[in-house]
């Protein structure tokens, strides 16, 4: 019988996608523009105050939603907001939660690091940059699922 050469195994690069939506308390805190604008405009006109309050709150909500960045790993590329980098230029990604995440965002932070941090997302992932020409030593990225993001980055760095 003729022998057929074995088919090479295909390595499928992992995919990850997350949108860093604001938490409900951010929308509740933003709602404070409603009484503030009514209070300012009520001496002029209650109707003007209510209309202004509705427009301001709607604008705040629209801005929060529109400015929510996407963090994604796809086809060997890490995308964090508008920034993109190929995963072969990255070192071993590490996830941090709780007090460790606070330490990484504070006292342990290198001022040269590139950051995509949202205050309403506590966990972070630290991603070293191995490209010597890049001035940033690492990226620090907020993620609600830091272990999954770090795993997707690390697996994506493996050769296909």
């Amino acid at each position: 019988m003729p022998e057929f050469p074995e088919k090479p195994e295909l390595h499928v690069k992992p995919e990850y996608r997350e949108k860093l939506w604001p938490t409900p308390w951010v929308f509740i805190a933003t709602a404070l523009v409603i009484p503030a604008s009514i209070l300012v405009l009520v001496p002029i006109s209650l109707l003007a105050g209510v209309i202004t309050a509705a427009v301001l709150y709607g604008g705040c909500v629209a801005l929060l939603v529109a400015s929510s960045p996407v963090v994604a790993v796809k086809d060997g590329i890490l995308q964090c907001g508008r920034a993109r980098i190929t995963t072969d230029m990255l070192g071993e990604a590490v996830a941090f939660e709780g007090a460790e995440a606070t330490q990484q965002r504070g006292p342990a932070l290198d001022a040269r690091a590139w950051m995509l941090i949202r205050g309403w997302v506590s966990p972070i992932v630290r991603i070293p940059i191995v490209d010597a020409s890049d001035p940033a030593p690492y990226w620090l990225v907020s993620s609600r699922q830091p272990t999954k993001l770090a795993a997707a980055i690390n697996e994506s760095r493996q050769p296909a």
Side-chain angles (χ1 to χ4, degrees), residues 78 85-92 127-131 139 153 157:
L78 170 64
I85 189 168
T86 58
T87 55
D88 60 346
M89 301 239 186
L90 304 176
E92 186 78 17
I127 310 151
I129 307 294
V130 296
D131 181 10
W139 282 17
I153 293 167
R157 291 182 353 200

Side-chain angles (χ1 to χ4, degrees), residues 18-40:
E18 168 183 21
K19 186 146 175 121
L20 299 178
W21 297 103
T23 55
W25 68 263
V26 174
F27 293 106
I28 293 167
T30 305
L32 290 174
V33 301
I34 295 171
S37 50
I38 291 173
L39 185 64
V40 168

Side-chain angles (χ1 to χ4, degrees), residues 28-119:
I28 293 167
T30 305
L32 290 174
V33 301
I34 295 171
S37 50
I38 291 173
L39 185 64
V40 168
L41 293 174
V42 82
I44 299 167
S45 166
L46 179 59
L47 181 61
V50 170
I51 291 171
T52 303
V55 169
L56 282 176
Y57 183 66
C60 289
V61 168
L63 216 96
L64 283 169
V65 170
S67 67
S68 298
V70 171
V71 176
V73 178
K74 184 175 182 181
D75 298 329
I77 295 174
L78 170 64
Q79 174 189 346
C80 298
R82 290 190 223 162
R84 298 168 53 113
I85 189 168
T86 58
T87 55
D88 60 346
M89 301 239 186
L90 304 176
E92 186 78 17
V94 181
F96 294 97
E97 296 185 56
E100 291 178 323
T102 303
Q103 183 74 14
Q104 289 298 316
R105 283 189 308 269
L109 180 66
D110 186 329
R112 299 171 299 153
W114 183 89
M115 296 175 282
L116 178 72
I117 296 177
R118 293 297 180 259

Side-chain angles (χ1 to χ4, degrees), residues 106-152:
L109 180 66
D110 186 329
R112 299 171 299 153
W114 183 89
M115 296 175 282
L116 178 72
I117 296 177
R118 293 297 180 259
W120 50 79
V121 181
S122 180
I124 57 161
V125 177
R126 182 178 170 154
I127 310 151
I129 307 294
V130 296
D131 181 10
S133 65
D134 195 325
Y138 59 88
W139 282 17
L140 204 57
V141 179
S142 291
S143 175
R144 287 194 171 90
Q145 300 175 341
T147 52
K148 287 183 180 179
L149 174 58

